[in-house]
Coordinates of all heavy atoms in Angstrom, one line a residue:
L281 N 2.8 5.2 20.3 CA 4.1 5.8 19.9 C 4.8 5.0 18.8 O 5.8 5.5 18.2 CB 5.1 5.8 21.1 CG 4.7 6.8 22.2 CD1 5.6 6.6 23.4 CD2 4.7 8.2 21.7
N282 N 4.3 3.8 18.4 CA 5.0 3.1 17.3 C 4.0 2.4 16.4 O 4.4 1.5 15.7 CB 6.0 2.2 17.9 CG 5.4 1.1 18.7 OD1 4.2 1.1 19.0 ND2 6.2 0.2 19.2
S283 N 2.7 2.7 16.4 CA 1.8 2.0 15.5 C 0.7 3.0 15.0 O 0.3 3.9 15.7 CB 1.2 0.7 16.1 OG 0.4 1.1 17.2
F284 N 0.2 2.7 13.8 CA -0.9 3.5 13.3 C -1.8 2.5 12.5 O -1.5 1.4 12.2 CB -0.4 4.6 12.4 CG 0.2 4.2 11.1 CD1 -0.5 3.9 9.9 CD2 1.6 4.0 11.0 CE1 0.1 3.5 8.7 CE2 2.2 3.6 9.8 CZ 1.5 3.4 8.7
E285 N -3.0 3.0 12.3 CA -4.0 2.2 11.5 C -4.3 2.9 10.2 O -4.4 4.1 10.1 CB -5.3 2.1 12.3 CG -6.4 1.3 11.7 CD -7.7 1.2 12.5 OE1 -7.7 1.6 13.7 OE2 -8.6 0.7 11.9
L286 N -4.4 2.1 9.2 CA -4.7 2.6 7.8 C -5.6 1.5 7.1 O -5.1 0.4 7.0 CB -3.5 2.9 7.0 CG -3.6 3.3 5.6 CD1 -4.3 4.7 5.5 CD2 -2.3 3.4 4.9
D287 N -6.8 1.9 6.7 CA -7.7 1.0 6.1 C -7.9 -0.3 6.8 O -7.9 -1.4 6.2 CB -7.2 0.7 4.6 CG -7.2 1.9 3.7 OD1 -8.0 2.8 4.0 OD2 -6.5 1.9 2.8
G288 N -8.0 -0.2 8.1 CA -8.2 -1.4 8.9 C -7.0 -2.3 9.3 O -7.1 -3.3 10.0
M289 N -5.9 -1.9 8.7 CA -4.6 -2.6 9.0 C -3.8 -1.8 10.0 O -3.8 -0.6 9.9 CB -3.8 -2.8 7.7 CG -4.5 -3.6 6.6 SD -4.5 -5.4 7.0 CE -2.8 -5.7 6.8
I290 N -3.0 -2.5 10.9 CA -2.2 -1.9 11.8 C -0.7 -2.0 11.4 O -0.3 -3.1 11.0 CB -2.4 -2.4 13.2 CG1 -3.8 -2.1 13.7 CG2 -1.4 -1.8 14.2 CD1 -4.2 -2.6 15.0
Y291 N 0.0 -0.9 11.3 CA 1.4 -0.9 10.9 C 2.3 -0.3 12.0 O 1.8 0.5 12.8 CB 1.6 0.0 9.7 CG 0.8 -0.4 8.5 CD1 -0.5 0.0 8.2 CD2 1.3 -1.3 7.5 CE1 -1.2 -0.4 7.1 CE2 0.6 -1.7 6.4 CZ -0.7 -1.3 6.2 OH -1.4 -1.7 5.1
Q292 N 3.5 -0.7 12.0 CA 4.5 -0.2 12.9 C 5.2 1.0 12.2 O 5.3 1.0 11.0 CB 5.6 -1.2 13.3 CG 5.0 -2.5 13.9 CD 4.4 -2.1 15.3 OE1 5.0 -1.5 16.1 NE2 3.1 -2.5 15.4
Y293 N 5.6 2.0 12.9 CA 6.3 3.1 12.3 C 7.3 3.7 13.2 O 7.4 3.4 14.4 CB 5.3 4.3 12.0 CG 4.8 5.1 13.2 CD1 5.6 6.2 13.6 CD2 3.7 4.8 13.9 CE1 5.2 6.9 14.7 CE2 3.3 5.5 15.0 CZ 4.1 6.6 15.4 OH 3.7 7.3 16.5
V294 N 8.2 4.5 12.6 CA 9.2 5.3 13.4 C 9.1 6.7 12.8 O 8.7 6.9 11.7 CB 10.6 4.7 13.3 CG1 10.8 3.4 13.9 CG2 11.1 4.6 11.8
R295 N 9.6 7.7 13.6 CA 9.7 9.0 13.0 C 10.9 9.1 12.1 O 11.9 8.5 12.4 CB 9.7 10.0 14.1 CG 8.4 10.2 14.8 CD 8.5 11.4 15.8 NE 7.2 11.6 16.5 CZ 6.3 12.6 16.2 NH1 6.6 13.4 15.2 NH2 5.2 12.7 16.9
L296 N 10.8 9.9 11.0 CA 11.9 10.1 10.2 C 13.0 10.8 10.9 O 12.7 11.8 11.6 CB 11.6 10.9 8.9 CG 10.7 10.2 7.9 CD1 10.6 11.2 6.7 CD2 11.3 8.9 7.4
K297 N 14.2 10.3 10.8 CA 15.4 11.0 11.5 C 15.6 12.4 10.8 O 15.6 12.5 9.6 CB 16.6 10.2 11.4 CG 16.5 8.9 12.1 CD 17.7 8.0 11.9 CE 17.4 6.7 12.6 NZ 18.3 5.6 12.2
N298 N 15.7 13.4 11.6 CA 15.9 14.8 11.1 C 14.7 15.4 10.5 O 14.7 16.5 10.0 CB 17.1 14.9 10.2 CG 18.4 14.4 10.8 OD1 18.6 14.7 12.0 ND2 19.2 13.8 10.1
M299 N 13.6 14.7 10.4 CA 12.3 15.3 9.9 C 11.2 14.7 10.7 O 10.4 13.8 10.3 CB 12.1 14.9 8.4 CG 13.1 15.5 7.5 SD 12.7 15.2 5.8 CE 14.1 15.9 5.0
E300 N 11.1 15.2 12.0 CA 10.2 14.6 13.0 C 8.7 14.7 12.6 O 7.9 14.1 13.3 CB 10.5 15.3 14.3 CG 11.8 14.9 14.9 CD 11.9 13.5 15.4 OE1 11.0 13.0 16.0 OE2 12.9 12.8 15.1
R301 N 8.4 15.5 11.7 CA 6.9 15.7 11.4 C 6.4 14.5 10.5 O 5.2 14.4 10.3 CB 6.7 17.0 10.6 CG 7.2 17.1 9.2 CD 7.1 18.4 8.6 NE 5.8 18.6 8.0 CZ 5.5 19.7 7.2 NH1 6.5 20.5 6.9 NH2 4.3 19.8 6.7
Y302 N 7.3 13.6 10.1 CA 6.9 12.5 9.3 C 7.1 11.2 10.0 O 8.1 11.0 10.8 CB 7.7 12.4 8.0 CG 7.4 13.6 7.1 CD1 8.3 14.6 7.0 CD2 6.2 13.7 6.4 CE1 8.1 15.7 6.2 CE2 6.0 14.8 5.6 CZ 6.9 15.8 5.5 OH 6.6 16.9 4.7
G303 N 6.3 10.2 9.7 CA 6.5 8.8 10.2 C 6.6 7.9 9.0 O 6.0 8.2 7.9
I304 N 7.3 6.8 9.2 CA 7.4 5.9 8.1 C 7.3 4.4 8.6 O 7.8 4.1 9.6 CB 8.8 6.0 7.3 CG1 8.8 5.1 6.1 CG2 10.0 5.8 8.2 CD1 9.9 5.5 5.1
S305 N 6.5 3.6 7.9 CA 6.3 2.3 8.3 C 7.4 1.4 7.9 O 8.2 1.8 7.0 CB 5.0 1.7 7.7 OG 5.1 1.5 6.4
N306 N 7.5 0.2 8.4 CA 8.6 -0.7 8.0 C 8.5 -1.2 6.5 O 9.4 -1.9 6.1 CB 8.7 -1.9 9.0 CG 7.4 -2.7 9.1 OD1 6.5 -2.5 8.3 ND2 7.3 -3.5 10.1
N307 N 7.4 -0.9 5.9 CA 7.2 -1.2 4.5 C 7.0 0.0 3.6 O 6.5 -0.2 2.4 CB 6.1 -2.3 4.3 CG 4.8 -1.7 4.7 OD1 4.7 -0.8 5.4 ND2 3.7 -2.4 4.2
G308 N 7.3 1.2 4.0 CA 7.4 2.3 3.2 C 6.2 3.3 3.1 O 6.1 4.1 2.2
I309 N 5.2 3.1 4.0 CA 4.1 4.1 4.0 C 4.6 5.3 4.8 O 5.0 5.2 6.0 CB 2.8 3.5 4.7 CG1 2.4 2.3 3.9 CG2 1.7 4.5 4.8 CD1 1.3 1.5 4.6
I310 N 4.6 6.5 4.2 CA 5.0 7.7 4.8 C 3.8 8.6 5.1 O 3.0 8.8 4.2 CB 6.0 8.4 3.9 CG1 7.2 7.5 3.5 CG2 6.6 9.7 4.6 CD1 8.0 8.1 2.3
F311 N 3.8 9.1 6.3 CA 2.6 10.0 6.6 C 3.1 11.2 7.4 O 4.2 11.2 8.0 CB 1.5 9.2 7.4 CG 1.9 8.8 8.8 CD1 1.6 9.6 9.9 CD2 2.6 7.6 9.0 CE1 2.0 9.2 11.2 CE2 3.0 7.3 10.3 CZ 2.7 8.1 11.4
N312 N 2.3 12.2 7.4 CA 2.5 13.5 8.0 C 1.8 13.5 9.4 O 0.6 13.3 9.5 CB 2.0 14.6 7.1 CG 2.4 16.0 7.6 OD1 2.5 16.2 8.8 ND2 2.6 16.9 6.7
F313 N 2.6 13.8 10.5 CA 2.0 13.8 11.8 C 1.1 15.0 12.0 O 0.2 15.0 12.8 CB 3.1 13.9 12.9 CG 3.6 12.5 13.3 CD1 4.8 12.0 12.9 CD2 2.8 11.8 14.2 CE1 5.2 10.8 13.3 CE2 3.2 10.5 14.6 CZ 4.5 10.0 14.1
D314 N 1.3 16.1 11.2 CA 0.5 17.3 11.4 C -1.0 17.0 11.1 O -1.9 17.5 11.8 CB 1.0 18.4 10.5 CG 2.4 18.9 10.9 OD1 2.8 18.6 12.0 OD2 3.0 19.5 10.0
D315 N -1.3 16.3 10.0 CA -2.7 16.0 9.7 C -3.0 14.6 9.5 O -4.1 14.2 9.2 CB -3.0 16.8 8.4 CG -2.2 16.5 7.2 OD1 -1.4 15.5 7.3 OD2 -2.2 17.2 6.2
G316 N -2.0 13.7 9.6 CA -2.3 12.2 9.4 C -2.4 11.8 8.0 O -2.7 10.6 7.7
R317 N -2.1 12.7 7.0 CA -2.2 12.4 5.6 C -1.0 11.5 5.2 O 0.1 11.7 5.5 CB -2.2 13.7 4.8 CG -2.5 13.5 3.3 CD -2.5 14.8 2.6 NE -1.3 15.6 2.9 CZ -0.1 15.5 2.2 NH1 0.0 14.6 1.3 NH2 0.9 16.3 2.5
V318 N -1.4 10.5 4.4 CA -0.4 9.6 3.7 C 0.2 10.4 2.6 O -0.5 10.9 1.7 CB -1.0 8.3 3.3 CG1 0.0 7.4 2.5 CG2 -1.5 7.5 4.5
L319 N 1.5 10.4 2.4 CA 2.2 11.1 1.3 C 2.0 10.3 0.0 O 2.1 9.1 0.0 CB 3.7 11.3 1.6 CG 4.1 12.5 2.4 CD1 3.4 12.6 3.7 CD2 5.6 12.6 2.5
T320 N 1.8 11.1 -1.0 CA 1.6 10.5 -2.3 C 3.0 10.0 -2.8 O 4.0 10.7 -2.6 CB 1.2 11.6 -3.3 OG1 -0.1 12.1 -2.9 CG2 1.0 11.0 -4.7
Q321 N 3.1 8.8 -3.4 CA 4.3 8.3 -3.9 C 4.1 8.0 -5.4 O 3.0 7.7 -5.8 CB 4.7 7.1 -3.1 CG 5.1 7.4 -1.7 CD 5.7 6.2 -1.0 OE1 6.4 5.5 -1.6 NE2 5.4 6.1 0.3
W322 N 5.2 7.9 -6.1 CA 5.1 7.6 -7.5 C 6.3 6.7 -7.9 O 7.3 6.6 -7.1 CB 5.1 8.8 -8.4 CG 6.4 9.6 -8.4 CD1 7.4 9.5 -9.4 CD2 6.8 10.5 -7.5 NE1 8.4 10.3 -9.0 CE2 8.1 11.0 -7.9 CE3 6.3 11.1 -6.3 CZ2 8.8 11.9 -7.2 CZ3 7.0 12.0 -5.6 CH2 8.3 12.4 -6.0
I323 N 6.2 6.0 -9.0 CA 7.3 5.1 -9.4 C 8.0 5.9 -10.6 O 7.4 6.3 -11.5 CB 6.7 3.8 -10.0 CG1 5.9 3.1 -8.8 CG2 7.8 2.9 -10.5 CD1 5.2 1.8 -9.3
D324 N 9.3 6.0 -10.4 CA 10.1 6.7 -11.4 C 10.5 5.7 -12.6 O 10.0 4.6 -12.6 CB 11.4 7.3 -10.8 CG 12.4 6.2 -10.3 OD1 12.3 5.1 -10.6 OD2 13.3 6.6 -9.5
D325 N 11.2 6.2 -13.5 CA 11.5 5.4 -14.8 C 12.4 4.2 -14.5 O 12.5 3.3 -15.3 CB 12.3 6.3 -15.8 CG 11.4 7.4 -16.3 OD1 10.2 7.3 -16.2 OD2 12.0 8.4 -16.8
F326 N 13.0 4.1 -13.3 CA 13.8 3.0 -12.9 C 13.1 2.0 -12.0 O 13.7 1.0 -11.6 CB 15.1 3.5 -12.2 CG 15.9 4.4 -13.1 CD1 15.9 5.7 -12.9 CD2 16.7 3.9 -14.2 CE1 16.6 6.6 -13.7 CE2 17.4 4.7 -15.0 CZ 17.4 6.1 -14.8
G327 N 11.8 2.3 -11.7 CA 11.0 1.3 -10.9 C 11.0 1.6 -9.4 O 10.5 0.8 -8.7
F328 N 11.7 2.7 -9.0 CA 11.8 3.0 -7.6 C 10.6 3.9 -7.1 O 10.2 4.8 -7.8 CB 13.1 3.7 -7.3 CG 14.3 2.9 -7.5 CD1 15.1 3.2 -8.6 CD2 14.6 1.8 -6.7 CE1 16.3 2.4 -8.8 CE2 15.7 1.0 -6.9 CZ 16.6 1.3 -8.0
Y329 N 10.1 3.6 -5.9 CA 9.1 4.5 -5.3 C 9.7 5.7 -4.8 O 10.8 5.7 -4.2 CB 8.4 3.7 -4.2 CG 7.4 2.7 -4.7 CD1 7.9 1.4 -5.1 CD2 6.0 3.0 -4.9 CE1 7.0 0.5 -5.6 CE2 5.2 2.0 -5.4 CZ 5.6 0.8 -5.7 OH 4.8 -0.2 -6.2
N330 N 9.1 6.9 -4.9 CA 9.6 8.2 -4.5 C 8.5 9.0 -3.8 O 7.3 8.8 -4.0 CB 10.1 9.0 -5.7 CG 11.2 8.4 -6.5 OD1 12.3 8.6 -6.2 ND2 10.9 7.5 -7.5
A331 N 8.9 9.9 -3.0 CA 8.0 10.8 -2.3 C 8.7 12.1 -2.0 O 10.0 12.2 -1.9 CB 7.5 10.2 -1.0
Y332 N 7.9 13.2 -1.9 CA 8.5 14.5 -1.5 C 8.2 14.7 0.0 O 7.1 14.4 0.5 CB 7.8 15.6 -2.2 CG 8.3 15.8 -3.6 CD1 7.4 15.6 -4.7 CD2 9.6 16.1 -3.9 CE1 7.9 15.8 -6.0 CE2 10.0 16.3 -5.2 CZ 9.2 16.1 -6.3 OH 9.6 16.3 -7.6
V333 N 9.3 15.1 0.7 CA 9.1 15.5 2.1 C 9.6 16.9 2.3 O 10.5 17.3 1.5 CB 9.9 14.5 3.1 CG1 9.3 13.1 3.1 CG2 11.3 14.4 2.8
Y334 N 9.1 17.6 3.2 CA 9.4 19.0 3.4 C 10.1 19.2 4.8 O 9.7 18.6 5.8 CB 8.2 19.9 3.3 CG 7.5 19.8 2.0 CD1 6.6 18.8 1.7 CD2 7.8 20.7 1.0 CE1 6.0 18.7 0.5 CE2 7.2 20.7 -0.2 CZ 6.3 19.6 -0.5 OH 5.7 19.6 -1.7
S335 N 11.1 20.1 4.8 CA 11.8 20.5 6.0 C 11.9 22.0 5.9 O 12.7 22.5 5.2 CB 13.2 19.8 6.0 OG 13.9 20.3 7.2
G336 N 11.0 22.6 6.7 CA 10.9 24.1 6.6 C 10.4 24.4 5.3 O 9.3 23.9 4.8
K337 N 11.1 25.3 4.5 CA 10.6 25.6 3.2 C 11.3 24.8 2.1 O 11.0 24.9 0.9 CB 10.9 27.1 2.9 CG 10.1 28.0 3.8 CD 10.4 29.5 3.4 CE 9.5 30.4 4.3 NZ 9.7 31.8 4.0
D338 N 12.2 23.9 2.5 CA 12.9 23.0 1.6 C 12.1 21.8 1.2 O 11.5 21.1 2.1 CB 14.3 22.6 2.2 CG 15.2 23.7 2.4 OD1 15.1 24.7 1.6 OD2 16.0 23.7 3.4
K339 N 12.1 21.4 0.0 CA 11.4 20.2 -0.5 C 12.4 19.2 -1.0 O 13.3 19.5 -1.8 CB 10.5 20.7 -1.7 CG 9.7 19.6 -2.4 CD 8.9 20.2 -3.5 CE 8.1 19.2 -4.3 NZ 7.3 19.9 -5.4
W340 N 12.3 18.0 -0.5 CA 13.3 16.9 -0.8 C 12.6 15.7 -1.5 O 11.6 15.2 -1.0 CB 13.9 16.4 0.5 CG 14.7 17.5 1.3 CD1 14.1 18.3 2.2 CD2 16.0 17.8 1.1 NE1 15.1 19.1 2.7 CE2 16.3 18.9 2.0 CE3 17.1 17.4 0.3 CZ2 17.5 19.5 2.2 CZ3 18.3 18.0 0.5 CH2 18.5 19.0 1.4
K341 N 13.1 15.3 -2.6 CA 12.7 14.1 -3.3 C 13.5 13.0 -2.7 O 14.7 13.0 -2.7 CB 12.9 14.2 -4.8 CG 12.5 13.0 -5.6 CD 12.8 13.2 -7.0 CE 12.7 11.8 -7.7 NZ 13.1 11.9 -9.1
C342 N 12.7 12.0 -2.2 CA 13.4 10.9 -1.5 C 13.0 9.5 -2.1 O 11.8 9.4 -2.5 CB 13.0 10.8 0.0 SG 13.5 12.3 0.8
K343 N 13.9 8.6 -2.2 CA 13.6 7.2 -2.6 C 13.1 6.5 -1.4 O 13.7 6.5 -0.3 CB 14.9 6.5 -3.1 CG 15.6 7.2 -4.3 CD 15.0 6.7 -5.5 CE 15.7 7.2 -6.7 NZ 14.8 7.7 -7.7
T344 N 11.9 5.9 -1.5 CA 11.3 5.3 -0.3 C 12.1 4.2 0.3 O 12.2 4.1 1.5 CB 9.9 4.8 -0.7 OG1 9.1 5.9 -1.3 CG2 9.1 4.3 0.5
H345 N 12.7 3.4 -0.5 CA 13.5 2.3 0.0 C 14.7 2.8 0.8 O 15.0 2.2 1.8 CB 13.9 1.3 -1.1 CG 14.9 1.8 -2.1 ND1 14.5 2.7 -3.0 CD2 16.2 1.5 -2.3 CE1 15.6 3.0 -3.8 NE2 16.6 2.3 -3.3
R346 N 15.3 3.9 0.4 CA 16.4 4.4 1.1 C 15.9 5.0 2.5 O 16.6 4.8 3.5 CB 17.1 5.5 0.3 CG 17.9 4.9 -0.8 CD 18.7 6.0 -1.6 NE 19.7 6.6 -0.8 CZ 21.0 6.1 -0.7 NH1 21.3 5.0 -1.3 NH2 21.9 6.7 0.1
L347 N 14.8 5.6 2.5 CA 14.2 6.2 3.7 C 13.9 5.0 4.7 O 14.2 5.1 5.9 CB 12.9 6.9 3.5 CG 13.0 8.4 3.0 CD1 11.7 8.9 2.7 CD2 13.8 9.2 3.9
V348 N 13.3 3.9 4.2 CA 13.0 2.8 5.1 C 14.3 2.2 5.7 O 14.4 2.0 6.9 CB 12.3 1.7 4.3 CG1 12.2 0.4 5.1 CG2 10.9 2.1 3.9
Y349 N 15.3 2.0 4.8 CA 16.6 1.4 5.4 C 17.2 2.4 6.4 O 17.6 1.9 7.4 CB 17.5 1.1 4.2 CG 18.7 0.2 4.6 CD1 18.6 -1.1 4.6 CD2 19.9 0.8 5.1 CE1 19.6 -1.9 5.0 CE2 20.9 0.0 5.6 CZ 20.8 -1.4 5.5 OH 21.8 -2.2 5.9
H350 N 17.3 3.6 6.0 CA 17.9 4.6 6.9 C 17.3 4.7 8.2 O 17.9 4.9 9.3 CB 17.9 6.0 6.2 CG 18.6 7.1 6.9 ND1 19.9 7.3 6.9 CD2 18.1 8.0 7.7 CE1 20.3 8.3 7.7 NE2 19.1 8.8 8.2
N351 N 15.9 4.6 8.3 CA 15.2 4.8 9.5 C 14.9 3.5 10.3 O 14.7 3.6 11.5 CB 13.9 5.6 9.2 CG 14.1 7.0 8.9 OD1 14.3 7.8 9.8 ND2 14.2 7.3 7.6
W352 N 14.9 2.4 9.6 CA 14.6 1.1 10.3 C 15.8 0.3 10.5 O 15.8 -0.6 11.4 CB 13.6 0.3 9.5 CG 12.2 0.8 9.7 CD1 11.5 1.8 9.1 CD2 11.3 0.4 10.7 NE1 10.3 2.0 9.6 CE2 10.1 1.1 10.6 CE3 11.3 -0.6 11.7 CZ2 9.0 0.9 11.4 CZ3 10.2 -0.8 12.5 CH2 9.1 0.0 12.4
V353 N 16.9 0.4 9.7 CA 18.0 -0.4 9.9 C 19.2 0.4 10.4 O 19.6 0.2 11.6 CB 18.4 -1.2 8.6 CG1 19.6 -2.1 8.8 CG2 17.2 -1.9 8.1
C354 N 19.8 1.2 9.6 CA 20.9 2.1 10.0 C 21.1 3.2 9.0 O 20.6 3.0 7.8 CB 22.2 1.3 10.2 SG 22.9 0.6 8.7
P355 N 21.7 4.3 9.3 CA 21.9 5.4 8.4 C 22.7 4.9 7.1 O 23.6 4.0 7.2 CB 22.8 6.4 9.2 CG 22.4 6.1 10.6 CD 22.2 4.6 10.7
V356 N 22.3 5.5 6.0 CA 22.9 5.2 4.7 C 23.8 6.3 4.3 O 23.3 7.5 4.3 CB 21.8 4.9 3.7 CG1 22.4 4.6 2.3 CG2 20.8 3.9 4.1
L357 N 25.0 6.0 3.9 CA 25.9 7.0 3.3 C 25.5 7.3 1.9 O 24.9 6.5 1.2 CB 27.3 6.5 3.4 CG 27.9 6.1 4.8 CD1 29.3 5.5 4.6 CD2 27.9 7.3 5.7
A358 N 25.8 8.5 1.4 CA 25.5 8.9 0.0 C 26.2 8.0 -1.0 O 25.7 7.7 -2.0 CB 25.9 10.3 -0.2
S359 N 27.3 7.4 -0.6 CA 28.1 6.5 -1.5 C 27.6 5.1 -1.5 O 28.0 4.3 -2.3 CB 29.6 6.5 -1.1 OG 29.7 6.0 0.2

Side-chain angles (χ1 to χ4, degrees):
L281 291 175
N282 65 354
S283 63
F284 67 88
E285 182 181 351
L286 176 64
D287 294 337
M289 299 283 293
I290 296 176
Y291 299 91
Q292 300 298 306
Y293 78 88
V294 294
R295 286 187 181 257
L296 288 184
K297 295 174 182 162
N298 301 323
M299 293 187 186
E300 293 289 315
R301 71 188 276 193
Y302 296 104
I304 187 166
S305 71
N306 55 14
N307 64 341
I309 299 170
I310 307 168
F311 68 95
N312 187 328
F313 273 102
D314 295 342
D315 58 10
R317 186 179 53 84
V318 174
L319 272 59
T320 301
Q321 296 190 33
W322 71 95
I323 301 172
D324 65 18
D325 293 340
F326 301 102
F328 295 109
Y329 286 83
N330 296 270
Y332 284 116
V333 293
Y334 297 86
S335 178
K337 293 183 179 183
D338 296 327
K339 180 179 177 180
W340 301 89
K341 177 182 166 186
C342 300
K343 302 270 185 227
T344 304
H345 67 287
R346 289 183 66 87
L347 281 178
V348 168
Y349 193 89
H350 182 81
N351 288 279
W352 279 88
V353 182
C354 67
V356 181
L357 302 174
S359 61

